[in-house]
Amino acid sequence: MKIFLNKSLIAWYFILPVLLIHLFVIAIPSISSLALSLTDFRGMGKLNYIGFENFIELFDDRYFIKAVYHNIIWTIAFLTIPVFVALVCAYLLTGIKRGQLFFRLAFFFPYMLASVVNCQIWKYLFSPIYGIGTVLSGFGLDLFTTSPFTTKEYSLFAVAFVDGWHFWGFLVVIYLTGMYQVDSSLYEAADIEGASKYQKFRYITLPMIRPVLVFTIMIITIWSIPVFDYVFILTKGGPAYSSEVIGTYMYSQAFERFNVGYSSAIGTMMFFYVLIIVGLFGVLRRLGWEV
Amino acid sequence: MKKIIDSIFVLSFIFTSSAVFAKTQISWWMEARAERDPIVMEKLVNAYNSSQDEIELVIEFTAQEVLGEKLRTALISGGGPDIVRAAGPSFIKEYQMAGMLENLDSYADQYGWNDKIVPWAYNSGVFDGSLYALPLTYESMIMLYNKTLFAENGWVVPTTLEELEDVASKAKAMDMNVYSYGSTGWQPTHEHLVGIYLNNYAGPENVYKALIGEKKWTDPVFVEAIELLRKHMVDEGYWSGSLENYYAIDWDQFHDAFSARDAAMMTIGTWTFQRTEMNFSSIDDDWGWAPLPSLSSNSPDQNFMLAIGTSIGLNPNSKNKDAAASMLNWLFSNKDVVINLSNSLEFAEFNLPLYYEDSDFPTDVNPKIKDFLSTFGKVTGEGNYGYCTWAFWPADPGVHIWKDMEVVWAGDISVADYMADHQKLWDKARDKGTTLSIPNR
């Protein structure tokens, strides 16, 4: 009995319920999915082992390759624009003494809205019947007469814009919190030395919030892999696969075409991709980076 | 002590009698639609439950987007409702192949369903020589037009490609779209258009040959059909003015645009009757319907595509299969109940493919819809019918036909390549045995 009351085990007892839930919700389905990727399972009924056929087909699937390419674009877009805008905005907000709360709330507000609500607002904004295009055309301006969500050249960027618009407020709050942790005496010293606002940002703020910055880069990179909701609601991956990402393609294979085995192979590829990213950050940590 | 014994006696009597006299409950999961559900409850559930004392029908309404997945998960885990519903034969075929549908042959013999249901619709639920599903709603693609607008301008309802292109140019000259239609909210809308051009340009005879494997989808006649669709969609902007607008407009918007004279016509399925009637009831304009124009000499003058929008079968795990079959037989045997229910929905749903006489229809049936029903029966009875993609295409080619149509419209691949990809998926489906039964010609 004593062995079960050992102090070193108490922490495990508290973790155990969560571990069990993870086992049933994450681990078992993930392992099942890995196994299904080697079959021709159609979502129900019998399944046959087909080896690596799904993976071979996947590398020959032009739409899967296109979806991977779109995910890479998506990741780059999210690692640059929202991060840059949020950093600048957070830094500027630190200089505002009155009304800062209003701005923080305003920037963060889209993040609190459900994705369906955000998407519906933007869809209506660009509707060719009720949207801003029709309002502007009333003033003789020929702008936004067609929705960017339905134009193959812009659809991916339009969806990324809406998702980024909802997401960047979250980054502002994180960066702002990081910036408030910076010792104010550093800025006072910089002021005495006559440093400009940019120099203070470049040589004090940025290095001091590096752990926060790297953390956000890591989560953005990981979150960009299973991106689904905004793409699915706004374009369903279309038109003509122009905004298809791995998540929506996997959904289409599983639930529209009943190719569950094939879809599991896509999921397996996503899993390995995330593993590589996490592994990469692990290596950086071992190299002494503050990750 | 006596009181205790009396209490036990009374309680056991209540318990046993309630068990003996309790109704057998049968369940049916149906997609939810706010304006329709009360009608279904009143004219189907209440009508059935009050018609007898042994069986109680319980319908659970679930959001359309999740119903299929919910049902599939329940069936895999050995549960689910007694009555299994699916969006047409290609979905039913997947359930049948997975052993998730009861063989209905014995019930069909017992109740004589073969004699009650029109053959093409009955056969849509026959796989490997056995009946697995009954057709709950038949539908077809038609063309709606603004009757008042056509009369004012002296336009003729198009029946040929030349007449269509003539009306199209006249509508455009009036700064009006040719057709009102859009795919937002339902991406497979594209297959409605693909089906029209395959059947009304290549012709039902050729489509039939391709469906049974006697002709390749790469045949020039199909390539020409899709090329014409591409031209009308991309180059001419027939639907809502442009490809981009067609992608951006949803069900409510294109209906409103049609009744607001933003477009002269609308290509749509017969499920629109209720909505169109509602929109036009509050304005001065009137609407009419017509068969889709024949786009080449391959297609007969009048031709309706056949489709089953909803099929129903029985869950093999059900403990109440006999009761559920008896309920289905009640539905398929009571034309007055079916017409009453369907009429309340403007024949958009519960349009059971039974043998109807003119006298079966009450006087309050909308004359336009009555005209459609009798014309449809007459024309298809003469063998002039085509094939809707969602009813006769297996799952994989069935998705390809609409999903990759966008790639053609985008100009990323040629029509010939698109049809070659389509043929490959058909070859695969034939190898796997996932093809469906095709109504003979």
Side-chain angles (χ1 to χ4, degrees):
Chain A
M1 187 64 189
K2 260 188 173 179
I3 199 164
F4 293 111
L5 295 174
N6 192 323
K7 269 189 176 177
S8 62
L9 290 176
I10 288 176
W12 283 101
Y13 293 147
F14 281 99
I15 295 170
L16 199 63
V18 181
L19 268 181
L20 280 174
I21 293 171
H22 269 55
L23 183 74
F24 287 106
V25 179
I26 309 285
I28 293 175
S30 299
I31 293 164
S32 309
S33 181
L34 283 175
L36 286 176
S37 68
L38 304 173
T39 70
D40 63 353
F41 189 47
R42 292 184 65 76
M44 47 193 170
K46 284 182 283 183
L47 49 87
N48 299 303
Y49 173 76
I50 55 165
F52 288 95
E53 215 172 278
N54 285 329
F55 292 93
I56 295 165
E57 204 175 315
L58 210 51
F59 286 110
D60 201 30
D61 182 341
R62 61 177 181 266
Y63 298 124
F64 173 69
I65 293 164
K66 200 169 189 174
V68 172
Y69 175 64
H70 289 159
N71 268 84
I72 294 168
I73 293 176
W74 187 279
T75 310
I76 294 169
F78 269 73
L79 284 176
T80 50
I81 302 163
V83 171
F84 175 76
V85 176
L87 266 177
V88 171
C89 233
Y91 184 62
L92 292 176
L93 277 179
T94 55
I96 294 177
K97 301 292 173 220
R98 293 186 64 179
Q100 194 203 65
L101 190 67
F102 167 77
F103 285 104
R104 285 167 71 166
L105 200 66
F107 295 154
F108 194 68
F109 191 70
Y111 193 74
M112 295 191 293
L113 291 177
S115 50
V116 176
V117 176
N118 276 335
C119 291
Q120 215 52 47
I121 291 167
W122 284 95
K123 255 187 173 177
Y124 278 124
L125 274 175
F126 289 120
S127 163
I129 296 179
Y130 313 117
I132 47 174
T134 46
V135 177
L136 291 174
S137 64
F139 295 102
L141 289 168
D142 202 19
L143 285 169
F144 300 118
T145 47
T146 54
S147 167
F149 302 124
T150 63
T151 313
K152 74 163 185 168
E153 289 81 7
Y154 310 120
S155 63
L156 182 69
F157 299 103
V159 180
F161 172 79
V162 175
D163 198 355
W165 167 79
H166 116 275
F167 178 67
W168 79 284
F170 169 73
L171 291 179
V172 170
V173 172
I174 287 188
Y175 293 147
L176 206 57
T177 311
M179 286 173 191
Y180 278 127
Q181 306 300 315
V182 180
D183 190 344
S184 58
S185 63
L186 295 172
Y187 293 113
E188 287 163 13
D191 284 336
I192 292 165
E193 296 294 330
S196 68
K197 222 169 168 55
Y198 169 74
Q199 284 170 322
K200 283 191 277 184
F201 177 72
R202 169 71 184 82
Y203 296 105
I204 300 173
T205 310
L206 264 188
M208 295 307 287
I209 65 159
R210 199 170 71 174
V212 177
L213 191 63
V214 175
F215 169 73
T216 56
I217 286 171
M218 187 174 77
I219 58 165
I220 288 171
T221 313
I222 293 172
W223 286 353
S224 295
I225 308 307
V227 54
F228 179 82
D229 53 351
Y230 277 80
V231 181
F232 188 76
I233 299 165
L234 285 168
T235 64
K236 297 263 190 314
Y241 299 91
S242 61
S243 59
E244 194 82 85
V245 287
I246 303 172
T248 52
Y249 194 58
M250 186 170 74
Y251 176 89
S252 169
Q253 287 292 347
F255 298 107
E256 287 174 349
R257 306 168 201 228
F258 300 115
N259 292 326
V260 176
Y262 192 69
S263 176
S264 298
I266 299 173
T268 304
M269 298 297 286
M270 281 169 82
F271 173 70
F272 284 120
Y273 186 84
V274 173
L275 269 190
I276 291 168
I277 300 292
V278 173
L280 201 69
F281 278 94
V283 171
L284 290 177
R285 187 191 288 259
R286 277 178 174 266
L287 290 172
W289 285 52
E290 291 174 53
V291 180
Chain B
M1 186 65 187
K2 190 177 177 295
K3 273 186 179 175
I4 294 171
I5 292 169
D6 284 350
S7 303
I8 291 170
F9 179 77
V10 170
L11 283 171
S12 59
F13 177 77
I14 291 167
F15 176 76
T16 49
S17 61
S18 63
V20 168
F21 297 114
K23 286 182 171 185
T24 306
Q25 205 173 70
I26 53 170
S27 54
W28 181 348
W29 293 354
M30 197 177 280
E31 71 281 10
R33 275 216 359 246
E35 75 275 21
R36 181 210 60 180
D37 299 347
I39 297 170
V40 172
M41 285 304 293
E42 183 199 332
K43 301 201 169 181
L44 175 63
V45 179
N46 294 348
Y48 177 68
N49 290 341
S50 60
S51 72
Q52 40 74 49
D53 295 322
E54 291 167 1
I55 302 165
E56 186 185 7
L57 172 65
V58 177
I59 290 186
E60 186 184 310
F61 295 102
T62 303
Q64 186 175 11
E65 301 79 32
V66 295
L67 179 59
E69 286 160 38
K70 184 180 165 184
L71 187 62
R72 197 157 55 144
T73 310
L75 291 173
I76 291 168
S77 60
D82 299 301
I83 296 171
V84 175
R85 167 254 178 239
S90 63
F91 288 90
I92 280 288
K93 173 72 178 171
E94 293 290 332
Y95 289 137
Q96 182 265 338
M97 282 172 62
M100 288 174 183
L101 283 178
E102 181 69 13
N103 185 319
L104 301 178
D105 282 347
S106 59
Y107 295 120
D109 290 343
Q110 182 185 343
Y111 294 121
W113 285 340
N114 201 1
D115 300 326
K116 292 175 181 171
I117 302 166
V118 296
W120 71 267
Y122 181 88
N123 288 331
S124 71
V126 174
F127 308 113
D128 306 326
S130 290
L131 180 73
Y132 284 90
L134 297 174
L136 190 69
T137 289
Y138 77 89
E139 51 201 20
S140 189
M141 292 298 295
I142 50 169
M143 187 176 72
L144 303 188
Y145 62 99
N146 186 319
K147 220 171 179 174
T148 316
L149 175 77
F150 270 62
E152 277 173 15
N153 293 286
W155 295 347
V156 178
V157 180
T159 56
T160 63
L161 178 61
E162 292 70 31
E163 287 174 2
L164 170 67
E165 292 184 336
D166 181 49
V167 171
S169 62
K170 286 172 179 163
K172 281 180 171 182
M174 289 178 69
D175 207 18
M176 196 179 282
N177 293 325
V178 181
Y179 294 119
S180 189
Y181 216 31
S183 67
T184 277
W186 188 243
Q187 209 180 358
T189 298
H190 315 333
E191 71 181 318
H192 303 162
L193 309 181
V194 180
I196 292 169
Y197 279 71
L198 287 177
N199 282 283
N200 287 34
Y201 182 90
E205 197 66 45
N206 285 322
V207 173
Y208 173 71
K209 283 179 184 166
L211 290 174
I212 60 168
E214 280 182 9
K215 210 175 187 105
K216 298 275 184 197
W217 290 106
T218 48
D219 192 280
V221 76
F222 297 123
V223 175
E224 283 167 21
I226 302 300
E227 186 54 52
L228 183 65
L229 169 60
R230 193 209 61 76
K231 181 189 152 200
H232 284 170
M233 172 61 85
V234 183
D235 301 344
E236 307 284 349
Y238 273 15
W239 288 272
S240 299
S242 71
L243 175 64
E244 288 76 17
N245 286 356
Y246 162 78
Y247 284 145
I249 289 171
D250 66 19
W251 167 267
D252 288 330
Q253 290 171 338
F254 69 68
H255 272 95
D256 291 348
F258 177 54
S259 54
R261 287 195 177 198
D262 286 343
M265 299 174 286
M266 186 154 79
T267 46
I268 198 164
T270 47
W271 52 83
T272 187
F273 284 143
Q274 190 181 16
R275 177 56 191 261
T276 303
E277 185 60 29
M278 193 180 84
N279 271 18
F280 275 80
S281 64
S282 55
I283 58 174
D284 293 333
D285 283 2
D286 192 14
W287 64 280
W289 72 269
L292 289 151
S294 168
L295 302 173
S296 83
S297 55
N298 294 316
S299 171
D301 291 344
Q302 277 203 330
N303 147 45
F304 288 102
M305 286 187 268
L306 306 178
I308 298 297
T310 310
S311 304
I312 44 173
L314 297 184
N315 184 346
N317 302 314
S318 164
K319 292 185 176 68
N320 305 311
K321 287 193 268 282
D322 290 348
S326 157
M327 184 270 146
L328 292 183
N329 184 54
W330 173 85
L331 182 64
F332 281 82
S333 305
N334 281 291
K335 279 193 265 186
D336 52 336
V337 171
V338 171
I339 290 174
N340 185 23
L341 172 60
S342 196
N343 188 27
S344 305
L345 303 167
E346 301 288 358
F347 292 88
E349 287 184 73
F350 290 93
N351 211 4
L352 270 62
L354 306 174
Y355 292 98
Y356 298 105
E357 305 286 331
D358 262 6
S359 56
D360 290 328
F361 294 98
T363 49
D364 65 339
V365 172
N366 184 322
K368 293 188 188 91
I369 300 171
K370 191 175 174 182
D371 180 37
F372 164 75
L373 294 170
S374 58
T375 310
F376 179 87
K378 182 174 167 287
V379 172
T380 55
E382 289 164 359
N384 290 323
Y385 51 77
Y387 306 89
C388 282
T389 55
W390 61 95
F392 301 108
W393 266 244
D396 230 1
V399 172
H400 175 267
I401 200 86
W402 55 264
K403 190 116 183 162
D404 283 36
M405 191 65 242
E406 290 187 358
V407 187
V408 175
W409 288 337
D412 292 348
I413 61 168
S414 68
V415 173
D417 287 343
Y418 166 72
M419 294 314 279
D421 286 346
H422 196 59
Q423 182 59 45
K424 277 183 205 160
L425 290 170
W426 266 93
D427 293 341
K428 223 171 168 180
R430 274 188 217 292
D431 291 344
K432 285 183 182 173
T434 58
T435 51
L436 306 165
S437 52
I438 309 297
N440 291 329
R441 303 195 70 77

